Amino acid sequence: MKIFMIGTQRSGSNLLRLMVNQAPDIAAPHPPHILERFAPLLPIYGDLSVEGNFCRLLDDVVHMVEVNPVPWGVSFDRADIRRRCRDNSLVAIFGSVMDRMAEAQGKPDWMCKSLANVHFLPEIERYFGSEARYLYLYRDGRDVCLSFMKAVVGEKTAFHIGRQWNVEQQLALKCGERVPGAQYFSLSYETLTGNPEPALRKLCEWLGIAFRAEMLDFHNSDEAGRTASSGKMWENVRKPVMADNSRKWLKGMTQDQIIDFESVAGESLTALGYPLEFVGKTCPARSYDAAAVAALDAENKRLKGAAREELSPEDAAARKPQEDLLARIRSRTAQPA
């Protein structure tokens, strides 16, 4: 069983993966975001049917995993990973790496919590077929927005965050319409944190595994400790479930920011049952001409740069090996097609 968590970051995915990782049959590591990071780089490698090109990609992917900020503690043999690949594709390398990781942990199944996999569903569905399970984790997008505004990663204006969040929710919802019902399960962050045991019992029933009390004790696990010590962004995983961590956007976002978010993401907020606060009630949805978008792009870039400057030396050091690897890859000349 290959479980793909889909949706948008800052929705409780680390919380849920640590809970699921407590199951004896499912390995759920901190992800190096293989598909998200390497898909844009594929033109550099050229034709993957050429063995040298494919093996170069494979080596870089494995290297990325080996320098993940939260260590996996798994050794990889490149030749073994190559033998596991059923075709010459990025998703095949990803699957082989995940299979090896689960095998090293003595677990038959795995879960990838890289929510950006929602952008690669056609390829995932093609390669994994009926083995795949899609776990859609969602949260009120305005709380997601507020979280991104405070984080060192991601977009920074309500317009940009809302636009991305809306696209990703629509992709996840369409996945639920497309794949067989037994392969798809949706769960809200608010349900998970408000009533964790019943929510986990339903999830375990869908996965075909037994609920274990240790899932609620995730914060005391070794994996939670490794994750929390690897970056400020993940320090909350050392705490028990925070039942009061919702609707913070009401105080944390300005009215202008909320209207921006609802203007570009109202479709998904409504589809998921989150009432709009302003748009359609006290004001219409905003429209954005080219000049407005350009101004928002400039502000988003400025805020992202400021967030990067606030990164602690420890966090920067943990991220540097992966960033250096990606920089080296980008500096290469593209291989002939």
Short mmCIF file of all heavy atoms in Angstrom, two decimals, residues 228-260:
data_model
loop_
_atom_site.label_atom_id
_atom_site.label_comp_id
_atom_site.label_asym_id
_atom_site.label_seq_id
_atom_site.Cartn_x
_atom_site.Cartn_y
_atom_site.Cartn_z
N ALA A 228 11.51 17.75 15.36
CA ALA A 228 11.50 19.02 16.10
C ALA A 228 12.90 19.62 16.21
O ALA A 228 13.06 20.84 16.17
CB ALA A 228 10.91 18.80 17.49
N SER A 229 13.91 18.77 16.32
CA SER A 229 15.28 19.27 16.48
C SER A 229 15.91 19.69 15.16
O SER A 229 17.01 20.24 15.13
CB SER A 229 16.16 18.20 17.13
OG SER A 229 16.28 17.06 16.29
N SER A 230 15.19 19.45 14.04
CA SER A 230 15.75 19.75 12.73
C SER A 230 15.33 21.10 12.18
O SER A 230 15.79 21.49 11.10
CB SER A 230 15.36 18.65 11.73
OG SER A 230 15.88 17.40 12.13
N GLY A 231 14.46 21.82 12.86
CA GLY A 231 14.06 23.13 12.37
C GLY A 231 12.95 23.74 13.18
O GLY A 231 12.06 23.04 13.68
N LYS A 232 12.98 25.06 13.30
CA LYS A 232 11.98 25.79 14.08
C LYS A 232 10.57 25.57 13.53
O LYS A 232 9.59 25.57 14.28
CB LYS A 232 12.32 27.28 14.07
CG LYS A 232 11.41 28.14 14.92
CD LYS A 232 11.87 29.59 14.91
CE LYS A 232 10.90 30.48 15.70
NZ LYS A 232 10.78 30.08 17.11
N MET A 233 10.47 25.35 12.20
CA MET A 233 9.17 25.21 11.56
C MET A 233 8.40 24.00 12.09
O MET A 233 7.19 23.93 11.98
CB MET A 233 9.39 25.02 10.05
CG MET A 233 8.47 25.86 9.19
SD MET A 233 8.92 25.80 7.46
CE MET A 233 8.77 24.09 7.08
N TRP A 234 9.15 23.03 12.65
CA TRP A 234 8.52 21.78 13.07
C TRP A 234 8.54 21.57 14.59
O TRP A 234 8.26 20.48 15.07
CB TRP A 234 9.24 20.60 12.40
CG TRP A 234 9.37 20.76 10.92
CD1 TRP A 234 8.36 21.00 10.02
CD2 TRP A 234 10.57 20.73 10.14
NE1 TRP A 234 8.86 21.10 8.75
CE2 TRP A 234 10.21 20.94 8.78
CE3 TRP A 234 11.92 20.52 10.45
CZ2 TRP A 234 11.14 20.96 7.75
CZ3 TRP A 234 12.86 20.55 9.41
CH2 TRP A 234 12.46 20.77 8.09
N GLU A 235 8.85 22.62 15.34
CA GLU A 235 9.01 22.45 16.78
C GLU A 235 7.71 22.06 17.49
O GLU A 235 7.75 21.43 18.55
CB GLU A 235 9.59 23.72 17.41
CG GLU A 235 8.73 24.96 17.23
CD GLU A 235 9.45 26.22 17.71
OE1 GLU A 235 10.65 26.13 18.07
OE2 GLU A 235 8.81 27.29 17.72
N ASN A 236 6.55 22.39 16.89
CA ASN A 236 5.28 22.06 17.54
C ASN A 236 4.99 20.56 17.59
O ASN A 236 4.09 20.14 18.33
CB ASN A 236 4.12 22.77 16.83
CG ASN A 236 4.00 24.23 17.26
OD1 ASN A 236 4.57 24.64 18.27
ND2 ASN A 236 3.26 25.01 16.50
N VAL A 237 5.69 19.76 16.80
CA VAL A 237 5.39 18.32 16.79
C VAL A 237 5.80 17.66 18.11
O VAL A 237 5.45 16.50 18.34
CB VAL A 237 6.06 17.60 15.60
CG1 VAL A 237 5.59 18.17 14.29
CG2 VAL A 237 7.59 17.62 15.70
N ARG A 238 6.51 18.38 18.95
CA ARG A 238 6.85 17.85 20.28
C ARG A 238 5.74 18.10 21.29
O ARG A 238 5.83 17.70 22.45
CB ARG A 238 8.14 18.49 20.78
CG ARG A 238 9.40 17.67 20.55
CD ARG A 238 9.26 16.27 21.06
NE ARG A 238 10.53 15.59 21.24
CZ ARG A 238 10.63 14.33 21.61
NH1 ARG A 238 9.53 13.62 21.85
NH2 ARG A 238 11.79 13.75 21.76
N LYS A 239 4.66 18.76 20.83
CA LYS A 239 3.54 19.05 21.72
C LYS A 239 2.36 18.13 21.41
O LYS A 239 2.22 17.66 20.28
CB LYS A 239 3.09 20.51 21.53
CG LYS A 239 4.18 21.53 21.80
CD LYS A 239 3.69 22.93 21.48
CE LYS A 239 4.78 23.98 21.70
NZ LYS A 239 4.33 25.34 21.33
N PRO A 240 1.50 17.86 22.39
CA PRO A 240 0.27 17.10 22.10
C PRO A 240 -0.62 17.86 21.13
O PRO A 240 -0.35 19.02 20.80
CB PRO A 240 -0.40 16.97 23.48
CG PRO A 240 0.65 17.28 24.48
CD PRO A 240 1.60 18.23 23.80
N VAL A 241 -1.66 17.21 20.66
CA VAL A 241 -2.60 17.85 19.73
C VAL A 241 -3.12 19.16 20.31
O VAL A 241 -3.53 19.22 21.47
CB VAL A 241 -3.79 16.91 19.43
CG1 VAL A 241 -4.85 17.63 18.60
CG2 VAL A 241 -3.32 15.66 18.70
N MET A 242 -3.06 20.22 19.50
CA MET A 242 -3.54 21.53 19.94
C MET A 242 -4.95 21.74 19.41
O MET A 242 -5.16 22.11 18.25
CB MET A 242 -2.60 22.63 19.43
CG MET A 242 -1.21 22.53 20.02
SD MET A 242 -0.10 23.86 19.46
CE MET A 242 0.20 23.35 17.77
N ALA A 243 -5.93 21.50 20.28
CA ALA A 243 -7.33 21.55 19.86
C ALA A 243 -7.81 22.97 19.55
O ALA A 243 -8.81 23.16 18.87
CB ALA A 243 -8.21 20.93 20.94
N ASP A 244 -7.08 23.98 20.03
CA ASP A 244 -7.52 25.37 19.87
C ASP A 244 -6.72 26.09 18.78
O ASP A 244 -6.59 27.32 18.80
CB ASP A 244 -7.39 26.13 21.19
CG ASP A 244 -5.95 26.15 21.72
OD1 ASP A 244 -5.11 25.38 21.19
OD2 ASP A 244 -5.67 26.94 22.64
N ASN A 245 -6.20 25.34 17.82
CA ASN A 245 -5.32 25.93 16.81
C ASN A 245 -6.06 26.25 15.51
O ASN A 245 -5.47 26.17 14.43
CB ASN A 245 -4.14 24.98 16.53
CG ASN A 245 -2.96 25.72 15.93
OD1 ASN A 245 -2.68 26.86 16.28
ND2 ASN A 245 -2.24 25.05 15.03
N SER A 246 -7.32 26.60 15.60
CA SER A 246 -8.12 26.92 14.42
C SER A 246 -8.74 28.31 14.55
O SER A 246 -8.85 28.86 15.66
CB SER A 246 -9.22 25.88 14.22
OG SER A 246 -8.67 24.60 13.97
N ARG A 247 -9.13 28.87 13.41
CA ARG A 247 -9.77 30.18 13.31
C ARG A 247 -8.91 31.29 13.89
O ARG A 247 -9.41 32.35 14.31
CB ARG A 247 -11.16 30.16 13.96
CG ARG A 247 -12.13 29.25 13.21
CD ARG A 247 -13.52 29.27 13.80
NE ARG A 247 -14.18 30.57 13.69
CZ ARG A 247 -14.74 31.06 12.59
NH1 ARG A 247 -14.71 30.36 11.47
NH2 ARG A 247 -15.32 32.25 12.58
N LYS A 248 -7.61 31.10 13.86
CA LYS A 248 -6.70 32.16 14.31
C LYS A 248 -6.62 33.30 13.30
O LYS A 248 -6.19 34.40 13.63
CB LYS A 248 -5.31 31.58 14.58
CG LYS A 248 -5.27 30.68 15.81
CD LYS A 248 -3.85 30.33 16.21
CE LYS A 248 -3.84 29.64 17.57
NZ LYS A 248 -2.45 29.34 18.04
N TRP A 249 -7.04 33.00 12.08
CA TRP A 249 -7.02 34.03 11.03
C TRP A 249 -7.93 35.20 11.36
O TRP A 249 -7.71 36.33 10.89
CB TRP A 249 -7.42 33.42 9.69
CG TRP A 249 -8.77 32.76 9.67
CD1 TRP A 249 -9.06 31.47 9.94
CD2 TRP A 249 -10.02 33.38 9.35
NE1 TRP A 249 -10.40 31.22 9.81
CE2 TRP A 249 -11.02 32.38 9.45
CE3 TRP A 249 -10.41 34.67 8.98
CZ2 TRP A 249 -12.37 32.64 9.20
CZ3 TRP A 249 -11.75 34.93 8.73
CH2 TRP A 249 -12.71 33.92 8.84
N LEU A 250 -8.96 34.97 12.19
CA LEU A 250 -9.88 36.05 12.54
C LEU A 250 -9.17 37.20 13.24
O LEU A 250 -9.55 38.37 13.09
CB LEU A 250 -10.99 35.51 13.44
CG LEU A 250 -12.09 34.71 12.72
CD1 LEU A 250 -12.95 33.97 13.73
CD2 LEU A 250 -12.94 35.65 11.86
N LYS A 251 -8.13 36.88 14.00
CA LYS A 251 -7.35 37.93 14.69
C LYS A 251 -6.00 38.17 14.03
O LYS A 251 -5.45 39.26 14.12
CB LYS A 251 -7.14 37.55 16.15
CG LYS A 251 -8.41 37.54 16.99
CD LYS A 251 -8.12 37.23 18.45
CE LYS A 251 -9.39 37.28 19.30
NZ LYS A 251 -9.11 36.96 20.73
N GLY A 252 -5.48 37.14 13.37
CA GLY A 252 -4.12 37.24 12.83
C GLY A 252 -4.02 37.87 11.46
O GLY A 252 -2.93 38.30 11.06
N MET A 253 -5.13 37.94 10.71
CA MET A 253 -5.12 38.54 9.38
C MET A 253 -5.93 39.83 9.38
O MET A 253 -6.92 39.94 10.12
CB MET A 253 -5.70 37.57 8.35
CG MET A 253 -4.82 36.35 8.09
SD MET A 253 -5.63 35.12 7.00
CE MET A 253 -5.71 36.02 5.44
N THR A 254 -5.52 40.77 8.57
CA THR A 254 -6.29 42.01 8.43
C THR A 254 -7.51 41.75 7.54
O THR A 254 -7.57 40.76 6.80
CB THR A 254 -5.44 43.12 7.79
OG1 THR A 254 -5.15 42.75 6.43
CG2 THR A 254 -4.14 43.32 8.56
N GLN A 255 -8.47 42.64 7.62
CA GLN A 255 -9.65 42.52 6.77
C GLN A 255 -9.25 42.53 5.29
O GLN A 255 -9.78 41.76 4.48
CB GLN A 255 -10.64 43.65 7.04
CG GLN A 255 -11.88 43.60 6.15
CD GLN A 255 -12.93 44.63 6.54
OE1 GLN A 255 -13.13 44.92 7.71
NE2 GLN A 255 -13.60 45.19 5.55
N ASP A 256 -8.29 43.36 4.94
CA ASP A 256 -7.84 43.45 3.56
C ASP A 256 -7.24 42.12 3.10
O ASP A 256 -7.49 41.66 1.98
CB ASP A 256 -6.81 44.57 3.44
CG ASP A 256 -6.50 44.92 2.00
OD1 ASP A 256 -7.44 45.28 1.26
OD2 ASP A 256 -5.33 44.80 1.59
N GLN A 257 -6.46 41.48 3.96
CA GLN A 257 -5.85 40.18 3.63
C GLN A 257 -6.92 39.10 3.47
O GLN A 257 -6.86 38.27 2.56
CB GLN A 257 -4.85 39.78 4.70
CG GLN A 257 -3.57 40.62 4.69
CD GLN A 257 -2.71 40.38 5.91
OE1 GLN A 257 -3.19 39.98 6.98
NE2 GLN A 257 -1.41 40.63 5.78
N ILE A 258 -7.91 39.11 4.36
CA ILE A 258 -8.98 38.12 4.28
C ILE A 258 -9.76 38.28 2.98
O ILE A 258 -10.08 37.30 2.30
CB ILE A 258 -9.92 38.23 5.50
CG1 ILE A 258 -9.17 37.88 6.79
CG2 ILE A 258 -11.13 37.29 5.33
CD1 ILE A 258 -9.93 38.22 8.06
N ILE A 259 -10.04 39.52 2.60
CA ILE A 259 -10.78 39.76 1.35
C ILE A 259 -9.95 39.30 0.15
O ILE A 259 -10.49 38.68 -0.79
CB ILE A 259 -11.17 41.24 1.22
CG1 ILE A 259 -12.21 41.60 2.29
CG2 ILE A 259 -11.71 41.55 -0.18
CD1 ILE A 259 -12.52 43.08 2.40
N ASP A 260 -8.66 39.57 0.16
CA ASP A 260 -7.79 39.09 -0.92
C ASP A 260 -7.87 37.56 -1.02
O ASP A 260 -8.03 37.00 -2.10
CB ASP A 260 -6.34 39.50 -0.67
CG ASP A 260 -5.98 40.80 -1.37
OD1 ASP A 260 -6.74 41.26 -2.23
OD2 ASP A 260 -4.90 41.36 -1.04
#
